[in-house]
């Protein structure tokens, strides 16, 4: 999906940290639903996985505007020191692309699973077809 003119990135600098906020607008309800799931995974990973404990803080919310999502990263000194600044900047500038890539991958995966289920259902239906014979059947009530 191409970037909407309604999307934005806001950077706020405080004494202790740097906050990067994204306003993301999605084309449809399905994309918005997948985005919410992915955003919640970010929050849960930070909360439950010690290997990402040094990652920036992350929060997200929706607004009354349809298909609009806001998310923010809170960066601390260890994320913007000279050794880590380039990597942090790269990840932040490619976040939107990263998000949309994973949304498309999720949709593709679900569609392939649905196609597989339809194919399996068609096989079952084809096996269940009765062959026409010249026999007459009576229906009892």
């Amino acid at each position: 999906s191409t970037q909407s003119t309604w999307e934005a990135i806001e950077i706020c600098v405080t004494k202790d940290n740097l906050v990067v906020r994204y306003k993301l607008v999605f084309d449809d309800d399905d994309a918005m639903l997948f985005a919410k799931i992915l955003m919640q995974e970010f929050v849960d990973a930070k909360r439950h996985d010690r290997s990402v404990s040094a990652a920036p803080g992350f929060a997200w919310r929706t607004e009354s505007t349809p298909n609009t999502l806001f998310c923010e990263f809170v960066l601390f000194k260890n994320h913007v020191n000279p050794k880590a600044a380039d990597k942090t900047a790269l990840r932040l500038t490619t976040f939107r692309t990263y998000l949309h890539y994973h949304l498309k991958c999720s949709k593709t995966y679900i569609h392939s699973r649905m196609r597989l289920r339809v194919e399996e259902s068609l096989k079952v239906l084809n096996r269940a077809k009765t062959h026409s014979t010249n026999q007459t059947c009576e229906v009892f009530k």
Side-chain angles (χ1 to χ4, degrees), residues 10-45:
E10 178 182 303
I11 300 172
C12 303
V13 180
T14 68
K15 185 177 96 174
D16 299 324
N17 58 37
L18 176 78
V19 179
V20 180
R21 289 188 187 100
Y22 291 87
K23 176 185 176 187
L24 301 166
V25 179
F26 297 94
D27 298 335
D28 56 38
D29 293 338
D30 291 340
M32 182 68 175
L33 177 65
F34 282 110
K36 286 179 181 179
I37 292 168
L38 190 57
M39 295 297 111
Q40 192 57 47
E41 285 298 317
F42 279 8
V43 171
D44 292 346

Tab-separated table of all heavy atoms in Angstrom, residues 10-45:
chain	number	residue	atom	x	y	z
A	10	GLU	N	5.987	11.777	14.101
A	10	GLU	CA	6.246	12.898	15.002
A	10	GLU	C	7.383	12.496	15.938
A	10	GLU	O	7.384	11.397	16.480
A	10	GLU	CB	4.970	13.172	15.802
A	10	GLU	CG	5.074	14.273	16.805
A	10	GLU	CD	3.769	14.435	17.570
A	10	GLU	OE1	2.724	14.648	16.943
A	10	GLU	OE2	3.819	14.335	18.809
A	11	ILE	N	8.333	13.382	16.121
A	11	ILE	CA	9.473	13.102	17.000
A	11	ILE	C	9.472	14.123	18.124
A	11	ILE	O	9.463	15.334	17.866
A	11	ILE	CB	10.798	13.146	16.219
A	11	ILE	CG1	10.769	12.092	15.112
A	11	ILE	CG2	11.978	12.941	17.151
A	11	ILE	CD1	11.921	12.158	14.152
A	12	CYS	N	9.474	13.637	19.352
A	12	CYS	CA	9.477	14.508	20.531
A	12	CYS	C	10.727	14.204	21.359
A	12	CYS	O	10.979	13.064	21.715
A	12	CYS	CB	8.249	14.254	21.394
A	12	CYS	SG	6.698	14.463	20.531
A	13	VAL	N	11.482	15.238	21.651
A	13	VAL	CA	12.702	15.088	22.436
A	13	VAL	C	12.456	15.630	23.832
A	13	VAL	O	11.965	16.737	24.001
A	13	VAL	CB	13.877	15.844	21.770
A	13	VAL	CG1	15.138	15.687	22.587
A	13	VAL	CG2	14.077	15.380	20.348
A	14	THR	N	12.784	14.807	24.825
A	14	THR	CA	12.711	15.253	26.211
A	14	THR	C	14.103	15.155	26.825
A	14	THR	O	15.052	14.732	26.157
A	14	THR	CB	11.723	14.386	27.034
A	14	THR	OG1	12.267	13.087	27.164
A	14	THR	CG2	10.356	14.330	26.394
A	15	LYS	N	14.208	15.497	28.077
A	15	LYS	CA	15.503	15.453	28.749
A	15	LYS	C	16.049	14.019	28.827
A	15	LYS	O	17.234	13.789	28.670
A	15	LYS	CB	15.353	16.039	30.163
A	15	LYS	CG	16.644	16.166	30.921
A	15	LYS	CD	16.420	16.817	32.256
A	15	LYS	CE	16.272	15.690	33.263
A	15	LYS	NZ	16.191	16.142	34.641
A	16	ASP	N	15.141	13.048	29.045
A	16	ASP	CA	15.566	11.669	29.267
A	16	ASP	C	15.406	10.729	28.084
A	16	ASP	O	16.004	9.662	28.061
A	16	ASP	CB	14.790	11.072	30.447
A	16	ASP	CG	15.053	11.832	31.729
A	16	ASP	OD1	16.197	12.279	31.921
A	16	ASP	OD2	14.106	11.976	32.525
A	17	ASN	N	14.554	11.095	27.134
A	17	ASN	CA	14.301	10.149	26.048
A	17	ASN	C	13.864	10.842	24.764
A	17	ASN	O	13.718	12.058	24.708
A	17	ASN	CB	13.266	9.104	26.473
A	17	ASN	CG	11.957	9.715	26.894
A	17	ASN	OD1	11.502	10.694	26.325
A	17	ASN	ND2	11.340	9.148	27.918
A	18	LEU	N	13.649	10.020	23.774
A	18	LEU	CA	13.195	10.460	22.457
A	18	LEU	C	11.969	9.619	22.134
A	18	LEU	O	12.017	8.387	22.233
A	18	LEU	CB	14.298	10.211	21.424
A	18	LEU	CG	13.996	10.503	19.980
A	18	LEU	CD1	14.072	12.007	19.744
A	18	LEU	CD2	15.010	9.800	19.100
A	19	VAL	N	10.860	10.256	21.790
A	19	VAL	CA	9.627	9.540	21.475
A	19	VAL	C	9.337	9.718	19.987
A	19	VAL	O	9.309	10.835	19.483
A	19	VAL	CB	8.442	10.063	22.317
A	19	VAL	CG1	7.155	9.324	21.956
A	19	VAL	CG2	8.738	9.922	23.801
A	20	VAL	N	9.148	8.591	19.311
A	20	VAL	CA	8.808	8.615	17.884
A	20	VAL	C	7.404	8.058	17.751
A	20	VAL	O	7.139	6.908	18.109
A	20	VAL	CB	9.806	7.778	17.056
A	20	VAL	CG1	9.432	7.816	15.589
A	20	VAL	CG2	11.226	8.275	17.266
A	21	ARG	N	6.480	8.903	17.264
A	21	ARG	CA	5.079	8.511	17.107
A	21	ARG	C	4.745	8.387	15.626
A	21	ARG	O	5.103	9.239	14.819
A	21	ARG	CB	4.160	9.552	17.725
A	21	ARG	CG	4.196	9.592	19.203
A	21	ARG	CD	3.115	10.520	19.769
A	21	ARG	NE	3.296	10.664	21.191
A	21	ARG	CZ	3.878	11.700	21.774
A	21	ARG	NH1	4.311	12.705	21.046
A	21	ARG	NH2	4.014	11.740	23.079
A	22	TYR	N	4.028	7.337	15.310
A	22	TYR	CA	3.559	7.098	13.944
A	22	TYR	C	2.042	7.156	13.923
A	22	TYR	O	1.384	6.575	14.783
A	22	TYR	CB	3.968	5.703	13.461
A	22	TYR	CG	5.434	5.530	13.235
A	22	TYR	CD1	6.277	5.155	14.273
A	22	TYR	CD2	5.982	5.728	11.980
A	22	TYR	CE1	7.630	4.985	14.063
A	22	TYR	CE2	7.330	5.557	11.760
A	22	TYR	CZ	8.151	5.187	12.811
A	22	TYR	OH	9.483	5.015	12.589
A	23	LYS	N	1.511	7.834	12.930
A	23	LYS	CA	0.081	7.775	12.644
A	23	LYS	C	-0.029	6.975	11.357
A	23	LYS	O	0.519	7.368	10.321
A	23	LYS	CB	-0.504	9.171	12.448
A	23	LYS	CG	-1.963	9.149	12.047
A	23	LYS	CD	-2.472	10.547	11.749
A	23	LYS	CE	-3.897	10.506	11.260
A	23	LYS	NZ	-4.352	11.837	10.813
A	24	LEU	N	-0.713	5.838	11.434
A	24	LEU	CA	-0.829	4.949	10.287
A	24	LEU	C	-2.288	4.829	9.882
A	24	LEU	O	-3.157	4.613	10.730
A	24	LEU	CB	-0.265	3.567	10.630
A	24	LEU	CG	1.194	3.559	11.063
A	24	LEU	CD1	1.549	2.235	11.704
A	24	LEU	CD2	2.092	3.837	9.878
A	25	VAL	N	-2.558	4.970	8.609
A	25	VAL	CA	-3.911	4.861	8.070
A	25	VAL	C	-3.951	3.639	7.158
A	25	VAL	O	-3.087	3.486	6.293
A	25	VAL	CB	-4.307	6.133	7.291
A	25	VAL	CG1	-5.707	6.010	6.722
A	25	VAL	CG2	-4.191	7.360	8.188
A	26	PHE	N	-4.949	2.786	7.356
A	26	PHE	CA	-5.050	1.551	6.594
A	26	PHE	C	-6.198	1.614	5.595
A	26	PHE	O	-7.197	2.290	5.828
A	26	PHE	CB	-5.210	0.359	7.539
A	26	PHE	CG	-4.014	0.205	8.426
A	26	PHE	CD1	-3.980	0.772	9.687
A	26	PHE	CD2	-2.900	-0.473	7.982
A	26	PHE	CE1	-2.873	0.653	10.495
A	26	PHE	CE2	-1.776	-0.597	8.781
A	26	PHE	CZ	-1.767	-0.034	10.030
A	27	ASP	N	-6.038	0.877	4.502
A	27	ASP	CA	-7.002	0.901	3.403
A	27	ASP	C	-8.351	0.299	3.775
A	27	ASP	O	-9.377	0.726	3.273
A	27	ASP	CB	-6.461	0.130	2.185
A	27	ASP	CG	-5.199	0.754	1.627
A	27	ASP	OD1	-5.003	1.969	1.824
A	27	ASP	OD2	-4.412	0.035	0.998
A	28	ASP	N	-8.323	-0.727	4.604
A	28	ASP	CA	-9.576	-1.432	4.897
A	28	ASP	C	-9.570	-1.980	6.321
A	28	ASP	O	-8.564	-1.936	7.021
A	28	ASP	CB	-9.817	-2.558	3.885
A	28	ASP	CG	-8.669	-3.550	3.824
A	28	ASP	OD1	-8.082	-3.859	4.870
A	28	ASP	OD2	-8.367	-4.019	2.712
A	29	ASP	N	-10.727	-2.509	6.718
A	29	ASP	CA	-10.886	-3.036	8.072
A	29	ASP	C	-10.001	-4.249	8.331
A	29	ASP	O	-9.506	-4.439	9.442
A	29	ASP	CB	-12.351	-3.422	8.324
A	29	ASP	CG	-13.263	-2.204	8.347
A	29	ASP	OD1	-12.758	-1.089	8.596
A	29	ASP	OD2	-14.478	-2.369	8.117
A	30	ASP	N	-9.803	-5.080	7.299
A	30	ASP	CA	-8.968	-6.273	7.470
A	30	ASP	C	-7.528	-5.898	7.797
A	30	ASP	O	-6.918	-6.465	8.701
A	30	ASP	CB	-8.997	-7.147	6.216
A	30	ASP	CG	-10.352	-7.791	5.996
A	30	ASP	OD1	-11.136	-7.889	6.968
A	30	ASP	OD2	-10.630	-8.185	4.847
A	31	ALA	N	-6.983	-4.939	7.060
A	31	ALA	CA	-5.610	-4.490	7.314
A	31	ALA	C	-5.496	-3.906	8.722
A	31	ALA	O	-4.508	-4.146	9.420
A	31	ALA	CB	-5.184	-3.469	6.269
A	32	MET	N	-6.513	-3.185	9.133
A	32	MET	CA	-6.515	-2.602	10.472
A	32	MET	C	-6.532	-3.698	11.538
A	32	MET	O	-5.803	-3.623	12.526
A	32	MET	CB	-7.733	-1.685	10.625
A	32	MET	CG	-7.824	-1.001	11.937
A	32	MET	SD	-6.513	0.209	12.146
A	32	MET	CE	-7.000	0.923	13.686
A	33	LEU	N	-7.325	-4.731	11.322
A	33	LEU	CA	-7.389	-5.839	12.267
A	33	LEU	C	-6.036	-6.541	12.388
A	33	LEU	O	-5.547	-6.780	13.496
A	33	LEU	CB	-8.460	-6.840	11.835
A	33	LEU	CG	-8.582	-8.085	12.704
A	33	LEU	CD1	-9.052	-7.717	14.104
A	33	LEU	CD2	-9.536	-9.071	12.056
A	34	PHE	N	-5.407	-6.829	11.253
A	34	PHE	CA	-4.089	-7.464	11.282
A	34	PHE	C	-3.060	-6.557	11.965
A	34	PHE	O	-2.194	-7.027	12.699
A	34	PHE	CB	-3.616	-7.814	9.872
A	34	PHE	CG	-4.252	-9.044	9.310
A	34	PHE	CD1	-5.158	-8.959	8.274
A	34	PHE	CD2	-3.941	-10.293	9.818
A	34	PHE	CE1	-5.750	-10.095	7.751
A	34	PHE	CE2	-4.527	-11.435	9.307
A	34	PHE	CZ	-5.439	-11.344	8.266
A	35	ALA	N	-3.142	-5.263	11.720
A	35	ALA	CA	-2.206	-4.320	12.344
A	35	ALA	C	-2.369	-4.318	13.862
A	35	ALA	O	-1.380	-4.303	14.597
A	35	ALA	CB	-2.420	-2.921	11.782
A	36	LYS	N	-3.610	-4.360	14.336
A	36	LYS	CA	-3.843	-4.398	15.782
A	36	LYS	C	-3.216	-5.643	16.398
A	36	LYS	O	-2.607	-5.578	17.467
A	36	LYS	CB	-5.343	-4.382	16.083
A	36	LYS	CG	-6.019	-3.062	15.880
A	36	LYS	CD	-7.498	-3.208	16.195
A	36	LYS	CE	-8.264	-1.940	15.994
A	36	LYS	NZ	-9.708	-2.142	16.296
A	37	ILE	N	-3.375	-6.770	15.723
A	37	ILE	CA	-2.802	-8.023	16.222
A	37	ILE	C	-1.283	-7.917	16.276
A	37	ILE	O	-0.651	-8.294	17.264
A	37	ILE	CB	-3.254	-9.214	15.346
A	37	ILE	CG1	-4.756	-9.440	15.521
A	37	ILE	CG2	-2.463	-10.469	15.688
A	37	ILE	CD1	-5.362	-10.383	14.509
A	38	LEU	N	-0.679	-7.384	15.219
A	38	LEU	CA	0.774	-7.249	15.186
A	38	LEU	C	1.269	-6.262	16.247
A	38	LEU	O	2.269	-6.510	16.922
A	38	LEU	CB	1.230	-6.811	13.787
A	38	LEU	CG	2.713	-6.857	13.523
A	38	LEU	CD1	3.290	-8.238	13.753
A	38	LEU	CD2	3.003	-6.410	12.097
A	39	MET	N	0.562	-5.164	16.436
A	39	MET	CA	0.946	-4.189	17.467
A	39	MET	C	0.887	-4.830	18.853
A	39	MET	O	1.781	-4.628	19.680
A	39	MET	CB	0.026	-2.967	17.446
A	39	MET	CG	0.088	-2.115	16.204
A	39	MET	SD	1.684	-1.357	15.943
A	39	MET	CE	2.207	-2.268	14.519
A	40	GLN	N	-0.150	-5.631	19.100
A	40	GLN	CA	-0.261	-6.285	20.403
A	40	GLN	C	0.862	-7.300	20.602
A	40	GLN	O	1.359	-7.477	21.713
A	40	GLN	CB	-1.627	-6.949	20.567
A	40	GLN	CG	-1.902	-7.384	21.988
A	40	GLN	CD	-1.804	-6.238	22.989
A	40	GLN	OE1	-2.349	-5.162	22.777
A	40	GLN	NE2	-1.093	-6.461	24.087
A	41	GLU	N	1.299	-7.942	19.526
A	41	GLU	CA	2.438	-8.863	19.618
A	41	GLU	C	3.710	-8.119	20.032
A	41	GLU	O	4.513	-8.639	20.795
A	41	GLU	CB	2.658	-9.589	18.286
A	41	GLU	CG	1.645	-10.672	18.018
A	41	GLU	CD	1.679	-11.782	19.049
A	41	GLU	OE1	2.775	-12.231	19.444
A	41	GLU	OE2	0.592	-12.206	19.480
A	42	PHE	N	3.900	-6.901	19.519
A	42	PHE	CA	5.053	-6.098	19.930
A	42	PHE	C	5.010	-5.846	21.437
A	42	PHE	O	6.007	-5.986	22.136
A	42	PHE	CB	5.067	-4.750	19.208
A	42	PHE	CG	5.612	-4.771	17.821
A	42	PHE	CD1	5.929	-5.950	17.162
A	42	PHE	CD2	5.814	-3.581	17.140
A	42	PHE	CE1	6.427	-5.951	15.880
A	42	PHE	CE2	6.322	-3.573	15.850
A	42	PHE	CZ	6.625	-4.759	15.221
A	43	VAL	N	3.840	-5.460	21.930
A	43	VAL	CA	3.680	-5.164	23.356
A	43	VAL	C	3.927	-6.427	24.181
A	43	VAL	O	4.663	-6.396	25.177
A	43	VAL	CB	2.270	-4.591	23.637
A	43	VAL	CG1	2.005	-4.475	25.135
A	43	VAL	CG2	2.100	-3.242	22.960
A	44	ASP	N	3.327	-7.534	23.767
A	44	ASP	CA	3.470	-8.789	24.511
A	44	ASP	C	4.907	-9.295	24.503
A	44	ASP	O	5.398	-9.809	25.507
A	44	ASP	CB	2.535	-9.857	23.955
A	44	ASP	CG	1.070	-9.533	24.212
A	44	ASP	OD1	0.790	-8.639	25.039
A	44	ASP	OD2	0.204	-10.161	23.571
A	45	ALA	N	5.582	-9.174	23.373
A	45	ALA	CA	6.982	-9.630	23.291
A	45	ALA	C	7.847	-8.844	24.264
A	45	ALA	O	8.687	-9.411	24.962
A	45	ALA	CB	7.505	-9.482	21.867
